[in-house]
Amino acid sequence: MQYETIIADREDAVGIIAFNRPEQLNAISIKLREELAEAFQAMSNDDQVRVIILTGNEKAFAAGADIKEMQSKSYMDMYLFDNASRLQAILQNCRNPVIAAVSGYALGGGCELAMMCDFILAAENAKFGQPEVSIGALPGWGGTQRLTGLVGKSKAMDMCLTGRMMDAREAEYSGLVSRVFPVEGFLDEVRQIAARIASNSAPINRMIKECINQSLETNLQSGLLFEHRQFQSVFATEDQKEGMSAFVEKRKPRWKNS
Ligand code: CO8
């Protein structure tokens, strides 16, 4: 499928979606949100895709929502046409693991989109921020909520109130990013990690994702019960039999994905 503002591709079981508005630092326009929603839907419905990578280019993951497009909008414009919430729901409902591969700027809506993914891998030149305060706005796509969950109240207040940027190292030790890699060869590293995840049993990947996401929505006792029931249900899968047999027989598992 051809898009104007993104490039969507599949390499074996790994879907790769890249923002493609380089001259505007991948600013997230209405069209881009529309196309991103379409591409995520298509990949979620494609049984061949097991893991999705969302990325930009070396200079920018995305420098936020498109300010030029937004500047003259009214409250009603924003309220009545809200494809941002639709895209957020599509990402939240995507059952396959989604990795944000961030090189360069991930600001405002760019940082928020990265945080909607399951985890963030960063290149050494990555810069994260919620700079909306400096343009007379505030984070509107989960920034105050997800950033606080990931880095804690103090740093979230600091980031959102000063609008400053956080570099990749700070993002890693603060918990926003899981790993940092050199800029050179960054996407190859991410591809390898995605391929590693894609080589697992697909239903088990999904169950792990559901369990971890459950921990964000519930209290410890309910979360532990949910996890334990998921663990028990694994014993109804063919892949549990195959995985454990393969271990005992000292060979690689051949997943049936069922
Ligand atoms: N929107 C529109 N255009 C942008 C954006 C943006 N967010 N960011 C960069 N651009 C454009 C510039 O205008 C410029 O275009 P042109 O060449 O036509 O003048 C081009 O990209 C290159 O940018 P710069 O010349 O500014 O590049 P620099 O290297 O000097 O600076 C920065 C890079 C620091 C990233 C700078 O561009 C910047 O500060 N950008 C804006 C960052 C920002 O404020 N982001 C937050 C936007 S608001 C938001 O994201 C709210 C999210 C809520 C989501 C809900 C959905 C509706």
Side-chain angles (χ1 to χ4, degrees):
M1 173 94 188
Q2 287 292 314
Y3 298 100
E4 250 176 61
T5 61
I6 59 171
I7 297 168
D9 215 348
R10 180 170 70 79
E11 291 171 10
D12 299 321
V14 178
I16 304 181
I17 302 176
F19 301 114
N20 190 28
R21 295 188 76 206
E23 68 295 340
Q24 299 297 306
L25 302 183
N26 294 328
I28 304 164
S29 59
I30 291 171
K31 176 88 179 166
L32 189 147
R33 291 197 293 274
E34 210 62 46
E35 292 194 331
L36 205 51
E38 225 173 281
F40 265 101
Q41 284 282 37
M43 284 195 185
S44 301
N45 294 335
D46 181 349
D47 285 344
Q48 307 288 311
V49 177
R50 297 280 160 75
V51 177
I52 300 170
I53 298 172
L54 179 63
T55 193
N57 55 44
E58 191 175 316
K59 184 157 186 210
F61 178 76
D66 190 323
I67 301 169
K68 292 163 190 158
E69 188 180 69
M70 274 189 308
Q71 60 173 335
S72 58
K73 298 267 188 230
S74 68
Y75 170 78
M76 270 301 143
D77 292 334
M78 298 301 282
Y79 181 75
L80 290 176
F81 184 77
D82 182 12
N83 72 353
S85 296
R86 180 170 162 259
L87 172 57
Q88 179 166 228
I90 287 171
L91 265 162
Q92 277 178 322
N93 290 327
C94 178
R95 299 185 75 194
N96 288 328
V98 182
I99 303 172
V102 175
S103 185
Y105 298 111
L107 303 177
C111 186
E112 291 169 311
L113 254 183
M115 291 189 290
M116 283 176 219
C117 298
D118 293 315
F119 65 101
I120 304 175
L121 298 170
E124 271 166 352
N125 70 340
K127 285 191 190 312
F128 299 87
Q130 297 291 161
E132 291 88 345
V133 68
S134 44
I135 55 164
L138 55 88
W141 220 8
T144 61
Q145 309 300 298
R146 293 194 178 92
L147 188 65
T148 308
L150 290 164
V151 306
K153 176 186 162 188
S154 187
K155 221 173 249 294
M157 286 280 187
D158 171 8
M159 298 297 296
C160 295
L161 291 172
T162 66
R164 77 175 175 90
M165 293 186 209
M166 195 190 257
D167 66 22
R169 292 290 160 201
E170 183 182 1
E172 186 184 24
Y173 69 66
S174 305
L176 175 59
V177 151
S178 71
R179 287 192 254 174
V180 178
F181 297 96
V183 174
E184 194 164 337
F186 170 57
L187 209 53
D188 287 336
E189 292 281 359
V190 177
R191 278 195 187 94
Q192 279 177 36
I193 292 164
R196 165 73 190 81
I197 296 170
S199 74
N200 297 336
S201 156
I204 302 289
N205 272 346
R206 289 179 174 191
M207 286 185 208
I208 291 171
K209 175 166 165 165
E210 278 175 6
C211 285
I212 293 174
N213 283 336
Q214 189 70 15
S215 77
L216 301 171
E217 305 290 339
T218 191
N219 61 40
L220 179 62
Q221 284 314 314
S222 308
L224 290 172
L225 183 62
F226 181 85
E227 180 203 71
H228 200 59
R229 291 284 176 264
Q230 288 280 61
F231 175 74
Q232 289 164 336
S233 70
V234 151
F235 288 80
T237 68
E238 292 188 67
D239 284 348
Q240 172 271 328
K241 298 286 171 295
E242 169 61 12
M244 294 191 185
S245 302
F247 174 80
V248 172
E249 293 160 18
K250 300 189 189 299
R251 60 171 175 82
K252 280 187 100 174
R254 291 181 293 270
W255 304 122
K256 298 189 172 66
N257 295 310
S258 62

